[in-house]
Amino acid sequence: MKYLILLSFVILSSACSRSGVMVRMFDDLAVSKADDYFELTSKQREELKKDLQKDVDVARKELLPQIAKSLRSIEPQINKEKLDSEVITTQMMEFQNYFKKLSSYFGETAVKTSLSLEPSQVFHFAKEVREDIEDDSESDAKEKVEKRYKKSVEFWIGGISSAQKEKIQKFLKQNPYPSKLQNENKEYVLNQFLEAKKNPETLKKFVKDFFNDYESVRLPAYTEALNNHKKAFQKFLVEEFWSTISKNQKETLKENISSRAEDLEKIAQYN
């Protein structure tokens, strides 16, 4: 549920320039995704939607202006031939901290929803998660990761050249995303949730930890592998990929940073 909430929040916040649309769409999308995994009752859906509306209202007002400010702080780097690795590393760490902070806004709602789940809903959730793991073969995972990285870059600088695509492919070949460990982590976290569900107080603690400090419940080997991969990607962007970015791509990047920061500020002020 955590990833469903955060994913829909971040996507809508960064991609929708009409703040009212984003605010109205978020809870509908999050509830729909949660329903897919838990088969919520009508009462649970209604309660979740209401609680999420409150959480989103606080999160967007408090956190989105901070994210917008961080985005704007990157702008001075764009015209440089060589990026300042310390500045970029600091900014990336800051964005990761925003992600963690964003998660915490939905902790109490997640606890409430988790405590309301019936055994049949928990069984359905476990079944869905394990089916996702089975469907995510190693070859499919590699293709998905490559596609995600390319889309992520294009989201900021526009279309990328064949040479740039090859550079991303080469990076992922040399620094493969820990997909196998990611799936092992899903099973690991799921088993903790199923065990915690046996006792309400244990469940409360687990869900709070999951939303406030996800690394505390994550498979340690996956955390280490993922952090190493992130560091390698940051180094790749600064030392290899940046030099391939054209003047037009830099202009697109500058425009996107400015417009998306403005969108976030508008969303934060929406009433």
Side-chain angles (χ1 to χ4, degrees), residues 132-177:
D132 285 349
I133 293 172
E134 289 177 9
D135 291 341
D136 199 12
S137 68
E138 192 167 347
S139 59
D140 288 342
K142 287 180 180 178
E143 186 177 333
K144 288 178 183 176
V145 168
E146 185 179 320
K147 187 179 292 186
R148 186 171 75 238
Y149 274 61
K150 288 175 182 176
K151 283 189 174 180
S152 177
V153 174
E154 288 176 335
F155 181 77
W156 292 103
I157 68 172
I160 57 178
S161 68
S162 297
Q164 289 172 326
K165 290 177 182 178
E166 287 176 6
K167 271 195 171 292
I168 294 173
Q169 289 171 344
K170 183 179 178 182
F171 164 78
L172 290 172
K173 187 175 182 179
Q174 295 173 341
N175 304 273
Y177 188 84

Side-chain angles (χ1 to χ4, degrees), residues 2-183:
K2 172 188 175 183
Y3 281 129
L4 300 174
I5 290 174
L6 296 185
L7 180 62
S8 56
F9 189 88
V10 172
I11 288 175
L12 290 172
S13 294
S14 60
C16 181
S17 60
R18 292 174 294 173
S19 54
V21 174
M22 177 268 163
V23 174
R24 290 193 298 271
M25 284 178 63
F26 167 73
D27 48 285
D28 288 331
L29 178 58
V31 172
S32 174
K33 291 296 184 181
D35 196 14
D36 289 342
Y37 274 89
F38 294 104
E39 290 192 327
L40 302 176
T41 65
S42 57
K43 182 179 180 181
Q44 286 172 324
R45 285 195 296 271
E46 185 180 337
E47 286 294 311
L48 179 58
K49 183 179 175 68
K50 182 176 66 176
D51 292 337
L52 283 175
Q53 286 174 339
K54 294 178 182 176
D55 295 338
V56 170
D57 194 47
V58 176
R60 68 182 177 82
K61 289 179 179 178
E62 292 183 359
L63 196 59
L64 296 192
Q66 296 176 40
I67 298 175
K69 184 178 179 180
S70 290
L71 277 176
R72 294 189 188 282
S73 70
I74 298 174
E75 287 189 66
Q77 291 286 319
I78 295 175
N79 292 325
K80 293 184 177 181
E81 289 298 319
K82 186 176 181 181
L83 293 175
D84 186 325
S85 59
E86 288 188 14
V87 171
I88 298 303
T89 298
T90 299
Q91 288 302 325
M92 286 189 170
M93 288 178 63
E94 200 167 281
F95 283 117
Q96 289 176 28
N97 288 333
Y98 287 141
F99 186 86
K100 292 178 181 179
K101 188 174 180 181
L102 175 59
S103 173
S104 67
Y105 284 100
F106 304 98
E108 292 302 322
T109 292
V111 168
K112 180 180 176 181
T113 303
S114 298
L115 290 171
S116 75
L117 296 174
E118 296 294 332
S120 60
Q121 293 174 308
V122 175
F123 176 82
H124 179 77
F125 172 65
K127 178 173 172 288
E128 290 293 313
V129 171
R130 285 173 175 147
E131 284 180 358
D132 285 349
I133 293 172
E134 289 177 9
D135 291 341
D136 199 12
S137 68
E138 192 167 347
S139 59
D140 288 342
K142 287 180 180 178
E143 186 177 333
K144 288 178 183 176
V145 168
E146 185 179 320
K147 187 179 292 186
R148 186 171 75 238
Y149 274 61
K150 288 175 182 176
K151 283 189 174 180
S152 177
V153 174
E154 288 176 335
F155 181 77
W156 292 103
I157 68 172
I160 57 178
S161 68
S162 297
Q164 289 172 326
K165 290 177 182 178
E166 287 176 6
K167 271 195 171 292
I168 294 173
Q169 289 171 344
K170 183 179 178 182
F171 164 78
L172 290 172
K173 187 175 182 179
Q174 295 173 341
N175 304 273
Y177 188 84
S179 301
K180 186 173 182 293
L181 279 171
Q182 184 181 56
N183 280 335

